[in-house]
Amino acid sequence: MTQKEQRERLGRNDLDLEDALIDEAANTVSEGAKRLNRKWPELIVTGLFGGIDVGLGILAMVLVKQATGSEILAGMAFGIGLLALKLAHSELFTEEFLLPINAVIAGQANWIQVFRLWLTTLVTNLVGGAVFAWLIVTALPDYHKTIADMALSYINQSSLIVMLSLSLLAGATITLSTRMQQGTSNDVVKAIVCMITGLLVIGASMLHGAINAIVIFAAMMAGADISILDFLQWFGIVIPFNMLGGLLIITLPRIVRTRRVLWAVRKGSISLEELEEQTS
């Protein structure tokens, strides 16, 4: 029996590919197309709530960090914000890599829609996060030093290569976390993934432009010695490498793995509806 015949015997689809990969392609293309085709009001509000939901995680992180001094426990507490993102169906900037790009490659959207999604989500994440940061600083004056110390640890890196590596890791980690959660409907599993992701991103002091920016905003409001220029220089380095981490480390290999399915949908050999039926 040839490899092709063996795959056909073991699978339940007509695309000569493992069923799990068919499922991945169908789910990511469908979800990516939904995100890319949102109208402006839904897109803006979703991004704003993304910043607010992450702000909730940052609040939990700051409280635990001051109480315990532990980055690991603070990271697990931050997972509450990532879980809020999922349960409230809001979005964080680096979640927007794998799903939308799969949708574009499958012909369900275009690159203009991708850039619209990226820019709008990033800006609205920052605006929503800044509002929540102001509330944290106003309500919790006793926590200003903890916030400032955390923000300065993000800004002041030992070297450029360390900064770039931490940015790449953050982008890859959040993008992979999104894919893992998108692959299950079990809320308990999603919660576990969120806690582990928070532990890794915060516990390892990774640099994530949208998440860390909210802490930096709060620190600036609390009087930390961080100028707008300091923030812009930091942000201008971290965001591109967050994108590279999510796109090159996580998204590109998965596109290669499911490329035949994506291309079949794009060429019309199989419709998205037919693809979804094969996964049911």
Side-chain angles (χ1 to χ4, degrees):
M1 182 180 292
T2 66
Q3 284 188 332
K4 184 178 187 300
E5 290 170 338
Q6 182 76 325
R7 286 193 297 268
E8 290 174 347
R9 183 178 72 84
L10 294 173
R12 65 176 188 273
N13 64 80
D14 303 321
L15 293 169
D16 184 27
L17 200 66
E18 293 173 46
D19 292 338
L21 300 186
I22 299 291
D23 293 345
E24 176 180 334
N27 292 336
T28 55
V29 170
S30 178
E31 181 62 26
K34 290 175 184 176
R35 295 185 182 192
L36 288 169
N37 286 285
R38 284 180 179 143
K39 293 183 178 181
W40 278 107
E42 290 82 2
L43 185 60
I44 291 170
V45 172
T46 300
L48 286 171
F49 276 109
I52 292 169
D53 291 342
V54 168
L56 178 66
I58 288 171
L59 174 59
M61 175 183 74
V62 170
L63 295 178
V64 172
K65 181 66 165 60
Q66 179 152 317
T68 68
S70 170
E71 296 283 352
I72 301 297
L73 293 177
M76 294 182 69
F78 173 75
I80 293 171
L82 297 178
L83 182 60
L85 280 170
K86 295 303 165 188
L87 298 183
H89 301 288
S90 46
E91 290 171 17
L92 186 64
F93 173 63
T94 42
E95 293 185 295
E96 306 295 1
F97 296 149
L98 177 63
L99 309 185
I101 289 181
N102 271 9
V104 171
I105 293 174
Q108 305 302 304
N110 58 55
W111 287 108
I112 293 176
Q113 289 172 290
V114 172
F115 294 129
R116 166 181 174 265
L117 176 67
W118 285 351
L119 182 59
T120 304
T121 301
L122 178 58
V123 171
T124 52
N125 278 174
L126 294 177
V127 172
V131 171
F132 205 89
W134 177 81
L135 289 174
I136 293 173
V137 170
T138 303
L140 301 171
D142 293 340
Y143 289 80
H144 286 187
K145 185 178 185 305
T146 299
I147 294 170
D149 289 344
M150 295 183 75
L152 287 168
S153 73
Y154 298 143
I155 294 286
N156 299 323
Q157 295 297 314
S158 59
S159 69
L160 180 60
I161 190 64
V162 169
M163 186 176 187
L164 300 183
S165 299
L166 290 172
S167 301
L168 287 169
L169 282 173
T173 301
I174 295 294
T175 303
L176 179 57
S177 172
T178 301
R179 173 65 196 105
M180 292 168 65
Q181 293 175 71
Q182 200 269 336
T184 180
S185 59
N186 188 313
D187 287 342
V188 174
V189 174
K190 290 182 179 182
I192 293 171
V193 171
C194 288
M195 298 306 165
I196 293 173
T197 303
L199 182 152
L200 292 173
V201 173
I202 303 301
S205 300
M206 295 181 191
L207 299 178
H208 187 281
I211 295 172
N212 297 162
I214 299 172
V215 180
I216 295 170
F217 289 159
M220 293 169 69
M221 294 173 191
D225 186 22
I226 301 173
S227 67
I228 294 176
L229 182 59
D230 291 334
F231 169 72
L232 291 176
Q233 289 176 335
W234 174 89
F235 193 73
I237 295 171
V238 171
I239 283 293
F241 280 86
N242 284 163
M243 296 179 69
L244 286 175
L247 292 169
L248 295 183
I249 299 175
I250 303 301
T251 301
L252 182 58
R254 279 165 172 74
I255 289 173
V256 172
R257 189 169 68 168
T258 58
R259 67 193 185 284
R260 285 190 285 123
V261 185
L262 302 176
W263 195 245
V265 175
R266 185 180 188 89
K267 291 191 301 182
S269 303
I270 183 171
S271 70
L272 184 56
E273 291 73 22
E274 290 171 331
L275 187 64
E276 290 173 334
E277 286 177 7
Q278 294 202 30
T279 67
S280 60

